[in-house]
Amino acid sequence: MSDQSNSTIGVDDSDAAASDQDDTDRDYVASLARGLEVICAFTRDKPTMTLSDVAKATGMSRATARRLLLTLVREGYAEKRDRDFSLRPKVLQLGYSALASVGILDVVQPVMNALSQRTQESIYTAVLTGDDVTYLARSTPDRVISVSINIGNRLPAYAVSTGRVLLAGESDAALERYFARLTLEKHTTNTVRSIKQLRAVIEETRECGYSLVDEELEVGVRSLSVPIYDAAGHVIAALNACCPSMRFPVEDMREKLVPELRAAAQSINERFQQG
């Protein structure tokens, strides 16, 4: 009786494992997996690709890649211009949900709120998305006059302090690829004028650990940013203060806001290191 019971248990375990595998196979949605592959095929180095490029990058047939790309276009996650496809900002909703789910926003938001009330300036957290920065979180003060950037807004990385802090955290190889494909646009008379100048500014940002941009994207706005690190010491975001130029001279920002932002960023970094 004992031997028969053991034998039966062995058969049941095997059957259960097979059943689990069957369930896994039945639950697997190949089209969803392939759609995610297509999204991930677009990178910072390849923000725009043709149908052939996507098919080659994913190993899919042109017909399959075309169906998936046109589905993404129809749903607003991608766009098509002539023969080229690229992702649209809507795809950032996926990343925003992921960041929120792992608690990053829960960590930065209370620190930002306290910093905004203490300094009475607009405070933001931004990440690098392609060649732009995307603003994930904000906290605004009680002041009537303050700088307002909406969550989800994308701005060119080269022209804003958040972007320069995040670019400074990139590897030399990644930076060279960025410089190679970059076209500078003159937003104001202060906007950085050449790749050589931008390269020097980013190197300076690496050395001093912060970036201060004086009316390079918009007249009347100065911004200051410091890096946020993950537990492994990688730059994952930028903590930013935006100020109307008429209220905050450059030297006052260096003297008063740099220590405030650094202390706030350190608090965020310590929370990430704790878990």
Side-chain angles (χ1 to χ4, degrees):
M1 182 69 178
S2 174
D3 290 343
Q4 183 178 358
S5 298
N6 289 338
S7 176
T8 301
I9 291 172
V11 170
D12 287 345
D13 286 346
S14 177
D15 289 345
S19 177
D20 288 344
Q21 182 62 48
D22 290 342
D23 287 343
T24 300
D25 291 341
R26 285 196 298 266
D27 292 338
Y28 185 81
V29 182
S31 58
L32 174 59
R34 289 175 179 175
L36 293 173
E37 280 187 65
V38 168
I39 290 175
C40 291
F42 292 90
T43 65
R44 189 176 305 162
D45 295 334
K46 294 182 178 180
T48 301
M49 292 194 287
T50 63
L51 171 59
S52 297
D53 292 334
V54 173
K56 182 178 180 180
T58 59
M60 300 177 190
S61 68
R62 285 173 54 89
T64 299
R66 180 177 181 275
R67 287 196 300 271
L68 292 169
L69 282 166
L70 293 180
T71 299
L72 291 171
V73 169
R74 183 170 179 176
E75 293 301 315
Y77 290 102
E79 64 181 356
K80 182 177 184 294
R81 294 184 180 180
D82 297 326
R83 298 174 59 248
D84 294 329
F85 291 87
S86 59
L87 297 181
R88 297 195 64 205
K90 185 178 178 182
V91 79
L92 296 173
Q93 293 178 1
L94 304 176
Y96 183 86
S97 298
L99 287 170
S101 69
V102 299
I104 291 179
L105 299 183
D106 292 337
V107 172
V108 301
Q109 193 66 59
V111 177
M112 290 171 57
N113 292 343
L115 181 59
S116 179
Q117 291 307 309
R118 190 163 60 250
T119 62
Q120 284 296 292
E121 301 299 337
S122 299
I123 305 298
Y124 300 91
T125 293
V127 295
L128 199 59
T129 50
D131 293 343
D132 298 330
V133 293
T134 299
Y135 291 81
L136 297 181
R138 71 175 180 179
S139 184
T140 53
D142 300 328
R143 287 182 187 270
V144 175
I145 300 177
S146 61
V147 178
S148 181
I149 300 174
N150 293 326
I151 292 175
N153 275 15
R154 295 182 70 171
L155 298 176
Y158 68 85
V160 291
S161 63
T162 48
R164 292 178 183 179
V165 161
L166 293 165
L167 289 170
E170 294 286 283
S171 67
D172 289 340
L175 267 181
E176 289 306 316
R177 291 192 294 270
Y178 170 74
F179 292 141
R181 63 178 181 267
L182 180 62
T183 300
L184 296 173
E185 180 181 346
K186 186 175 181 180
H187 299 279
T188 74
T189 56
N190 286 1
T191 306
V192 64
R193 297 179 299 277
S194 67
I195 300 298
K196 180 179 180 181
Q197 183 183 6
L198 179 61
R199 192 190 302 271
V201 167
I202 291 176
E203 185 58 38
E204 180 183 4
T205 301
R206 282 179 169 175
E207 292 175 1
C208 68
Y210 70 88
S211 173
L212 197 160
V213 170
D214 184 12
E215 299 185 321
E216 291 196 40
L217 182 69
E218 182 180 350
V219 174
V221 177
R222 294 189 175 110
S223 71
L224 177 69
S225 295
V226 298
I228 294 173
Y229 299 91
D230 63 12
H234 301 128
V235 177
I236 57 170
L239 184 65
N240 165 256
C242 278
C243 315
S245 303
M246 63 181 181
R247 186 166 65 237
F248 243 127
V250 169
E251 288 311 310
D252 283 358
M253 289 183 71
R254 294 187 195 278
E255 181 181 344
K256 298 176 182 178
L257 286 185
V258 168
E260 290 278 7
L261 259 70
R262 280 179 165 165
Q266 181 60 30
S267 175
I268 293 171
N269 298 339
E270 289 173 355
R271 296 187 187 198
F272 281 134
Q273 292 168 3
Q274 291 169 1

